[in-house]
Amino acid sequence: MKKIRHILNWTATVGSAVVVCLFLGIILIDIFSQGWSSVTWHFVVDFPRNGMTEGGIIPAVIGTVLLTLITTVFAVPFGIACAVYLNEYAPSNWVTGLIRASIRNLAGIPSIIYGLFGLALFVQTLNLGTSVLSAGLTLGLLSLPYIITTTEEALKTIPNSMREATLALGCTQFETIRDVVVPKALPGILTGVILTLSRAAGETAPILFTGAAFYINGLTMSVNQEFMALPYHLYMLSTQHTSIEQVRPLAYGTAVVLISLVFILNLVAFYVRYKNREKA
Amino acid sequence: MENHAKLAAHDMNLFFGEKQILKNINIDFPEKEVTSLIGPSGCGKSTLLRSFNRMHDLTPEAKIQGKLTIDDQDIYHPSQPLTQLRKRIGMVFQKPNPLPKSIFDNLAYALKIHKYPKSEMEDLVENALKESYLWDEVKDDLKKPATKLSGGQQQRLCIARTVILRPEVILMDEPCSALDPISTHKIEDLILKLRSDYTIVIVTHNMQQAQRISDKVAFMYLGELIEYDTTDVIFNNAKKELTRNYISGHFG
């Protein structure tokens, strides 16, 4: 009887793991098998032509890179500073509790709400217009709770004995954080940051109203311009285009490029973590 | 003639939240002597030790009443500069805690924080390492990460990091409890040597250690200071029965 239960448990857990991997595998195989043939160097660096039925996706690649950069510049310093405050300085009282609860709830808000909020705040109230800046700031807001949470987790892994070491030498709390706590937690922080950004890079809903364009002529060269982005380009090619059947290979190609971009970011995160484990 | 009292606590009570950890402590530690704090786990020895360099400051629920002094200056007076105070009262912890930097940088960092000129650093680092009997073992790889040293070497590095700032007092919180007997022996030698220049207060669970290294011994029990006298009196002629029982291993 005990043995049967053991076998059942084992099958259930291993089965679940296999199913998860299976889904990932099916998605990857489907996209890569259908999209691989359209991904050429030419496809990545060329402009779309003939009503986007031919040519490449360079404006969307540049747009997504620019967008992610703006998100990084905005969200990473704010997120890390906020996590440092919460973990190192904040007293444990109801105000801190409220801040933490707010952050948890922010992480649970659907991304389309962020899009509408970005439209109301950045595009209209702050008058930044529909632009890559507005969209980057919106994505930054979306990323903040994840960056704060992962950074705080990384800071929590630093033992107190480390902080006491420098405090007892006569360091101020700020010096302790700057010279010991944050450097020691940096690999963990970076891993969280990169994973968050790779998620943000693939978001569509928050950029929909805030700056992503169906089609632009030329490249986005300044932060107050509209932009094309890979996820939105993909959405558009697969559902909004006038001749969907004709552009299907291009849609698959775009998906391959987007997935590869995110995959590369994840690999960097793995590498950072691996390097850190080696050092420790 | 007894040396003048370097560190002292007067009518000191310490609470963590509602719980009273230290009860009416009155003690003074003479200058340039080694004083051991002994007593069973949880008696408040470490808590008392950590009060002198204000390591409880980051624990909001810790409340201290009474007066603690260094050279008759109030340690907890609002005008007391905390970083300078901690430079004057150095601390060595139970578990060696080198910074994630090279051996050299562990020591240089302490100097940098207190704005010593760069030109003096190399000499000061060398001196501190010699003073803590570590120089011969590490002189050829000062660039090595400090975490790669053995536990005993790490602890001597932590002592070097403390003495490099020329503190007046060194607090040691069971500095040998994580070390093997040979490393322990080296640290004890080091303490006996440092005794001529520094006032040392050490928490220890090791009775032989307390006998070997200390001039005076304070026995604490359940947050109270039970008996405080010279090492000889405490170990051979203790006045309180509680002390005698603890020393002879009847409890604790």
PDB file of all heavy atoms in Angstrom, chain B residues 149-173:
ATOM      1  N   LEU B 149      41.274  31.819   3.172  1.00  0.00           N
ATOM      2  CA  LEU B 149      42.108  31.481   4.327  1.00  0.00           C
ATOM      3  C   LEU B 149      41.408  30.455   5.213  1.00  0.00           C
ATOM      4  O   LEU B 149      40.183  30.303   5.140  1.00  0.00           O
ATOM      5  CB  LEU B 149      42.399  32.733   5.151  1.00  0.00           C
ATOM      6  CG  LEU B 149      43.233  33.836   4.497  1.00  0.00           C
ATOM      7  CD1 LEU B 149      43.227  35.076   5.373  1.00  0.00           C
ATOM      8  CD2 LEU B 149      44.651  33.360   4.250  1.00  0.00           C
ATOM      9  N   SER B 150      42.190  29.780   6.074  1.00  0.00           N
ATOM     10  CA  SER B 150      41.573  28.839   7.023  1.00  0.00           C
ATOM     11  C   SER B 150      40.816  29.644   8.087  1.00  0.00           C
ATOM     12  O   SER B 150      41.017  30.858   8.224  1.00  0.00           O
ATOM     13  CB  SER B 150      42.650  27.998   7.692  1.00  0.00           C
ATOM     14  OG  SER B 150      43.338  28.785   8.641  1.00  0.00           O
ATOM     15  N   GLY B 151      39.966  28.973   8.853  1.00  0.00           N
ATOM     16  CA  GLY B 151      39.162  29.661   9.860  1.00  0.00           C
ATOM     17  C   GLY B 151      40.020  30.426  10.858  1.00  0.00           C
ATOM     18  O   GLY B 151      39.748  31.573  11.195  1.00  0.00           O
ATOM     19  N   GLY B 152      41.109  29.776  11.312  1.00  0.00           N
ATOM     20  CA  GLY B 152      41.983  30.418  12.281  1.00  0.00           C
ATOM     21  C   GLY B 152      42.677  31.635  11.690  1.00  0.00           C
ATOM     22  O   GLY B 152      42.809  32.671  12.347  1.00  0.00           O
ATOM     23  N   GLN B 153      43.119  31.498  10.431  1.00  0.00           N
ATOM     24  CA  GLN B 153      43.760  32.634   9.761  1.00  0.00           C
ATOM     25  C   GLN B 153      42.767  33.776   9.562  1.00  0.00           C
ATOM     26  O   GLN B 153      43.102  34.944   9.753  1.00  0.00           O
ATOM     27  CB  GLN B 153      44.323  32.187   8.406  1.00  0.00           C
ATOM     28  CG  GLN B 153      45.529  31.277   8.518  1.00  0.00           C
ATOM     29  CD  GLN B 153      45.951  30.725   7.174  1.00  0.00           C
ATOM     30  OE1 GLN B 153      45.119  30.453   6.314  1.00  0.00           O
ATOM     31  NE2 GLN B 153      47.256  30.545   6.995  1.00  0.00           N
ATOM     32  N   GLN B 154      41.528  33.405   9.197  1.00  0.00           N
ATOM     33  CA  GLN B 154      40.495  34.435   9.020  1.00  0.00           C
ATOM     34  C   GLN B 154      40.282  35.207  10.318  1.00  0.00           C
ATOM     35  O   GLN B 154      40.145  36.432  10.312  1.00  0.00           O
ATOM     36  CB  GLN B 154      39.170  33.803   8.588  1.00  0.00           C
ATOM     37  CG  GLN B 154      39.148  33.336   7.152  1.00  0.00           C
ATOM     38  CD  GLN B 154      37.774  32.856   6.724  1.00  0.00           C
ATOM     39  OE1 GLN B 154      36.766  33.148   7.358  1.00  0.00           O
ATOM     40  NE2 GLN B 154      37.725  32.113   5.636  1.00  0.00           N
ATOM     41  N   GLN B 155      40.276  34.466  11.442  1.00  0.00           N
ATOM     42  CA  GLN B 155      40.026  35.145  12.708  1.00  0.00           C
ATOM     43  C   GLN B 155      41.195  36.069  13.059  1.00  0.00           C
ATOM     44  O   GLN B 155      40.990  37.164  13.555  1.00  0.00           O
ATOM     45  CB  GLN B 155      39.771  34.113  13.825  1.00  0.00           C
ATOM     46  CG  GLN B 155      39.156  34.676  15.096  1.00  0.00           C
ATOM     47  CD  GLN B 155      37.782  35.304  14.887  1.00  0.00           C
ATOM     48  OE1 GLN B 155      37.618  36.241  14.113  1.00  0.00           O
ATOM     49  NE2 GLN B 155      36.775  34.780  15.563  1.00  0.00           N
ATOM     50  N   ARG B 156      42.416  35.623  12.768  1.00  0.00           N
ATOM     51  CA  ARG B 156      43.548  36.504  13.029  1.00  0.00           C
ATOM     52  C   ARG B 156      43.522  37.709  12.104  1.00  0.00           C
ATOM     53  O   ARG B 156      43.926  38.815  12.479  1.00  0.00           O
ATOM     54  CB  ARG B 156      44.868  35.726  12.897  1.00  0.00           C
ATOM     55  CG  ARG B 156      45.240  35.020  14.197  1.00  0.00           C
ATOM     56  CD  ARG B 156      46.516  34.230  14.069  1.00  0.00           C
ATOM     57  NE  ARG B 156      46.262  32.981  13.349  1.00  0.00           N
ATOM     58  CZ  ARG B 156      47.143  32.384  12.564  1.00  0.00           C
ATOM     59  NH1 ARG B 156      48.336  32.920  12.386  1.00  0.00           N
ATOM     60  NH2 ARG B 156      46.841  31.254  11.971  1.00  0.00           N
ATOM     61  N   LEU B 157      43.006  37.503  10.871  1.00  0.00           N
ATOM     62  CA  LEU B 157      42.844  38.638   9.963  1.00  0.00           C
ATOM     63  C   LEU B 157      41.829  39.634  10.536  1.00  0.00           C
ATOM     64  O   LEU B 157      42.023  40.854  10.476  1.00  0.00           O
ATOM     65  CB  LEU B 157      42.376  38.156   8.583  1.00  0.00           C
ATOM     66  CG  LEU B 157      42.190  39.240   7.529  1.00  0.00           C
ATOM     67  CD1 LEU B 157      43.537  39.783   7.078  1.00  0.00           C
ATOM     68  CD2 LEU B 157      41.427  38.716   6.316  1.00  0.00           C
ATOM     69  N   CYS B 158      40.753  39.099  11.114  1.00  0.00           N
ATOM     70  CA  CYS B 158      39.741  39.986  11.714  1.00  0.00           C
ATOM     71  C   CYS B 158      40.332  40.754  12.898  1.00  0.00           C
ATOM     72  O   CYS B 158      39.993  41.915  13.121  1.00  0.00           O
ATOM     73  CB  CYS B 158      38.519  39.183  12.156  1.00  0.00           C
ATOM     74  SG  CYS B 158      37.591  38.524  10.764  1.00  0.00           S
ATOM     75  N   ILE B 159      41.219  40.087  13.655  1.00  0.00           N
ATOM     76  CA  ILE B 159      41.889  40.788  14.756  1.00  0.00           C
ATOM     77  C   ILE B 159      42.808  41.870  14.181  1.00  0.00           C
ATOM     78  O   ILE B 159      42.844  42.999  14.667  1.00  0.00           O
ATOM     79  CB  ILE B 159      42.656  39.793  15.649  1.00  0.00           C
ATOM     80  CG1 ILE B 159      41.650  38.852  16.336  1.00  0.00           C
ATOM     81  CG2 ILE B 159      43.486  40.529  16.692  1.00  0.00           C
ATOM     82  CD1 ILE B 159      42.276  37.771  17.182  1.00  0.00           C
ATOM     83  N   ALA B 160      43.535  41.510  13.107  1.00  0.00           N
ATOM     84  CA  ALA B 160      44.410  42.496  12.460  1.00  0.00           C
ATOM     85  C   ALA B 160      43.592  43.697  11.986  1.00  0.00           C
ATOM     86  O   ALA B 160      44.007  44.847  12.109  1.00  0.00           O
ATOM     87  CB  ALA B 160      45.135  41.859  11.280  1.00  0.00           C
ATOM     88  N   ARG B 161      42.415  43.417  11.433  1.00  0.00           N
ATOM     89  CA  ARG B 161      41.556  44.482  10.916  1.00  0.00           C
ATOM     90  C   ARG B 161      41.097  45.391  12.060  1.00  0.00           C
ATOM     91  O   ARG B 161      40.850  46.574  11.867  1.00  0.00           O
ATOM     92  CB  ARG B 161      40.345  43.848  10.224  1.00  0.00           C
ATOM     93  CG  ARG B 161      39.558  44.788   9.351  1.00  0.00           C
ATOM     94  CD  ARG B 161      38.475  44.026   8.619  1.00  0.00           C
ATOM     95  NE  ARG B 161      37.547  43.383   9.557  1.00  0.00           N
ATOM     96  CZ  ARG B 161      36.650  42.469   9.203  1.00  0.00           C
ATOM     97  NH1 ARG B 161      36.569  42.073   7.954  1.00  0.00           N
ATOM     98  NH2 ARG B 161      35.838  41.940  10.093  1.00  0.00           N
ATOM     99  N   THR B 162      40.990  44.800  13.252  1.00  0.00           N
ATOM    100  CA  THR B 162      40.606  45.610  14.403  1.00  0.00           C
ATOM    101  C   THR B 162      41.784  46.431  14.926  1.00  0.00           C
ATOM    102  O   THR B 162      41.655  47.628  15.165  1.00  0.00           O
ATOM    103  CB  THR B 162      40.052  44.700  15.517  1.00  0.00           C
ATOM    104  OG1 THR B 162      39.004  43.903  14.955  1.00  0.00           O
ATOM    105  CG2 THR B 162      39.498  45.511  16.666  1.00  0.00           C
ATOM    106  N   VAL B 163      42.956  45.772  15.067  1.00  0.00           N
ATOM    107  CA  VAL B 163      44.085  46.486  15.681  1.00  0.00           C
ATOM    108  C   VAL B 163      44.681  47.527  14.739  1.00  0.00           C
ATOM    109  O   VAL B 163      45.329  48.465  15.177  1.00  0.00           O
ATOM    110  CB  VAL B 163      45.208  45.532  16.160  1.00  0.00           C
ATOM    111  CG1 VAL B 163      44.692  44.600  17.216  1.00  0.00           C
ATOM    112  CG2 VAL B 163      45.829  44.780  15.011  1.00  0.00           C
ATOM    113  N   ILE B 164      44.450  47.387  13.430  1.00  0.00           N
ATOM    114  CA  ILE B 164      45.044  48.329  12.487  1.00  0.00           C
ATOM    115  C   ILE B 164      44.514  49.745  12.735  1.00  0.00           C
ATOM    116  O   ILE B 164      45.178  50.734  12.432  1.00  0.00           O
ATOM    117  CB  ILE B 164      44.774  47.884  11.023  1.00  0.00           C
ATOM    118  CG1 ILE B 164      45.788  48.537  10.079  1.00  0.00           C
ATOM    119  CG2 ILE B 164      43.369  48.241  10.574  1.00  0.00           C
ATOM    120  CD1 ILE B 164      45.772  47.970   8.687  1.00  0.00           C
ATOM    121  N   LEU B 165      43.346  49.848  13.340  1.00  0.00           N
ATOM    122  CA  LEU B 165      42.767  51.166  13.619  1.00  0.00           C
ATOM    123  C   LEU B 165      43.222  51.703  14.986  1.00  0.00           C
ATOM    124  O   LEU B 165      42.768  52.748  15.417  1.00  0.00           O
ATOM    125  CB  LEU B 165      41.234  51.099  13.576  1.00  0.00           C
ATOM    126  CG  LEU B 165      40.622  50.819  12.205  1.00  0.00           C
ATOM    127  CD1 LEU B 165      39.103  50.656  12.311  1.00  0.00           C
ATOM    128  CD2 LEU B 165      40.956  51.935  11.235  1.00  0.00           C
ATOM    129  N   ARG B 166      44.124  50.967  15.647  1.00  0.00           N
ATOM    130  CA  ARG B 166      44.621  51.376  16.960  1.00  0.00           C
ATOM    131  C   ARG B 166      43.482  51.717  17.924  1.00  0.00           C
ATOM    132  O   ARG B 166      43.376  52.844  18.414  1.00  0.00           O
ATOM    133  CB  ARG B 166      45.550  52.602  16.843  1.00  0.00           C
ATOM    134  CG  ARG B 166      46.800  52.332  16.054  1.00  0.00           C
ATOM    135  CD  ARG B 166      47.832  51.629  16.910  1.00  0.00           C
ATOM    136  NE  ARG B 166      48.746  50.877  16.040  1.00  0.00           N
ATOM    137  CZ  ARG B 166      48.974  49.582  16.121  1.00  0.00           C
ATOM    138  NH1 ARG B 166      48.369  48.864  17.032  1.00  0.00           N
ATOM    139  NH2 ARG B 166      49.798  48.979  15.317  1.00  0.00           N
ATOM    140  N   PRO B 167      42.605  50.756  18.173  1.00  0.00           N
ATOM    141  CA  PRO B 167      41.513  51.040  19.110  1.00  0.00           C
ATOM    142  C   PRO B 167      42.065  51.112  20.531  1.00  0.00           C
ATOM    143  O   PRO B 167      43.211  50.745  20.764  1.00  0.00           O
ATOM    144  CB  PRO B 167      40.599  49.827  18.951  1.00  0.00           C
ATOM    145  CG  PRO B 167      41.518  48.726  18.569  1.00  0.00           C
ATOM    146  CD  PRO B 167      42.614  49.348  17.744  1.00  0.00           C
ATOM    147  N   GLU B 168      41.245  51.615  21.444  1.00  0.00           N
ATOM    148  CA  GLU B 168      41.673  51.618  22.842  1.00  0.00           C
ATOM    149  C   GLU B 168      41.206  50.342  23.534  1.00  0.00           C
ATOM    150  O   GLU B 168      41.843  49.842  24.445  1.00  0.00           O
ATOM    151  CB  GLU B 168      41.085  52.847  23.547  1.00  0.00           C
ATOM    152  CG  GLU B 168      41.615  54.138  22.955  1.00  0.00           C
ATOM    153  CD  GLU B 168      40.686  55.309  23.196  1.00  0.00           C
ATOM    154  OE1 GLU B 168      40.120  55.398  24.301  1.00  0.00           O
ATOM    155  OE2 GLU B 168      40.517  56.131  22.275  1.00  0.00           O
ATOM    156  N   VAL B 169      40.054  49.846  23.047  1.00  0.00           N
ATOM    157  CA  VAL B 169      39.459  48.656  23.642  1.00  0.00           C
ATOM    158  C   VAL B 169      39.192  47.650  22.526  1.00  0.00           C
ATOM    159  O   VAL B 169      38.825  48.029  21.417  1.00  0.00           O
ATOM    160  CB  VAL B 169      38.120  49.004  24.329  1.00  0.00           C
ATOM    161  CG1 VAL B 169      37.481  47.764  24.931  1.00  0.00           C
ATOM    162  CG2 VAL B 169      38.315  50.081  25.384  1.00  0.00           C
ATOM    163  N   ILE B 170      39.407  46.353  22.822  1.00  0.00           N
ATOM    164  CA  ILE B 170      38.992  45.324  21.865  1.00  0.00           C
ATOM    165  C   ILE B 170      37.994  44.406  22.571  1.00  0.00           C
ATOM    166  O   ILE B 170      38.295  43.831  23.624  1.00  0.00           O
ATOM    167  CB  ILE B 170      40.182  44.487  21.356  1.00  0.00           C
ATOM    168  CG1 ILE B 170      41.236  45.397  20.710  1.00  0.00           C
ATOM    169  CG2 ILE B 170      39.701  43.463  20.340  1.00  0.00           C
ATOM    170  CD1 ILE B 170      42.466  44.651  20.233  1.00  0.00           C
ATOM    171  N   LEU B 171      36.803  44.323  22.020  1.00  0.00           N
ATOM    172  CA  LEU B 171      35.792  43.410  22.537  1.00  0.00           C
ATOM    173  C   LEU B 171      35.865  42.132  21.715  1.00  0.00           C
ATOM    174  O   LEU B 171      35.936  42.187  20.492  1.00  0.00           O
ATOM    175  CB  LEU B 171      34.396  44.029  22.396  1.00  0.00           C
ATOM    176  CG  LEU B 171      34.197  45.432  22.974  1.00  0.00           C
ATOM    177  CD1 LEU B 171      32.818  45.962  22.569  1.00  0.00           C
ATOM    178  CD2 LEU B 171      34.339  45.409  24.480  1.00  0.00           C
ATOM    179  N   MET B 172      35.877  40.989  22.385  1.00  0.00           N
ATOM    180  CA  MET B 172      35.934  39.720  21.660  1.00  0.00           C
ATOM    181  C   MET B 172      34.785  38.834  22.114  1.00  0.00           C
ATOM    182  O   MET B 172      34.652  38.526  23.283  1.00  0.00           O
ATOM    183  CB  MET B 172      37.271  39.021  21.910  1.00  0.00           C
ATOM    184  CG  MET B 172      38.462  39.806  21.400  1.00  0.00           C
ATOM    185  SD  MET B 172      39.959  38.840  21.575  1.00  0.00           S
ATOM    186  CE  MET B 172      41.115  39.849  20.668  1.00  0.00           C
ATOM    187  N   ASP B 173      33.966  38.432  21.142  1.00  0.00           N
ATOM    188  CA  ASP B 173      32.787  37.629  21.449  1.00  0.00           C
ATOM    189  C   ASP B 173      33.068  36.171  21.086  1.00  0.00           C
ATOM    190  O   ASP B 173      32.895  35.777  19.939  1.00  0.00           O
ATOM    191  CB  ASP B 173      31.591  38.177  20.652  1.00  0.00           C
ATOM    192  CG  ASP B 173      30.282  37.574  21.126  1.00  0.00           C
ATOM    193  OD1 ASP B 173      30.315  36.705  22.017  1.00  0.00           O
ATOM    194  OD2 ASP B 173      29.225  37.958  20.589  1.00  0.00           O
TER     195      ASP B 173
END
